[in-house]
Amino acid sequence: MSKHRSNRLAETLKEEISQLIRVELKDPRIGFVTLTSVDVADDLSHAKVYISVLGTEEEGNASLDALNRAAGFVRSEIGKRIRLRHVPSIVFKYDPSIQHGAYIAKLLKDVGVSEETSKEESHD
């Protein structure tokens, strides 16, 4: 039962934090950030927010640093928007899954292109 509650809270936090990042946070270091997932501990005291950043590794690190510095502000805003007895502490983590997926797609595309060219050469 508590797992269900932590999953519901994770989805709510994901929506609220993404809106906060999009509208409220005005830090220029925060680039094009996408929230990929939120993990909430079973006791609802901690939340890990996984983000992906479009851009270079430097921009990703700068965005992650800026978000972790703004975690207190984000937590206080969450407390104002969601009725909770205890607002979980928030930690932002980098999620490389989107970049990894793009890399795999590029590899598959390259393999597909090389297979097509080899097929065309064999038919000639």
Side-chain angles (χ1 to χ4, degrees), residues 101-117:
Y103 174 71
I104 297 295
K106 180 184 173 295
L107 288 177
L108 291 172
K109 181 180 173 190
D110 291 346
V111 169
V113 169
S114 65
E115 283 182 8
E116 287 176 19
T117 55

Side-chain angles (χ1 to χ4, degrees), residues 41-108:
D42 288 338
D43 64 354
L44 308 180
S45 62
H46 302 287
K48 292 179 188 172
V49 180
Y50 293 95
I51 63 160
S52 178
V53 180
L54 184 66
T56 65
E57 189 173 337
E58 288 177 7
E59 293 170 340
N61 290 336
S63 294
L64 186 61
D65 183 50
L67 286 171
N68 276 316
R69 289 180 185 268
F73 170 76
V74 171
R75 184 178 183 204
S76 67
E77 286 296 311
I78 293 295
K80 293 174 188 173
R81 294 174 182 213
I82 303 172
R83 204 178 120 231
L84 292 170
R85 183 173 291 166
H86 300 288
V87 179
S89 62
I90 297 172
V91 177
F92 290 94
K93 302 266 185 185
Y94 183 70
D95 183 10
S97 63
I98 291 179
Q99 282 183 326
H100 184 68
Y103 174 71
I104 297 295
K106 180 184 173 295
L107 288 177
L108 291 172

Side-chain angles (χ1 to χ4, degrees), residues 21 24-31 62-63 65-67 69-70:
I21 291 173
E24 300 286 329
L25 293 179
K26 301 296 182 192
D27 194 326
R29 295 176 295 171
I30 299 175
S63 294
D65 183 50
L67 286 171
R69 289 180 185 268

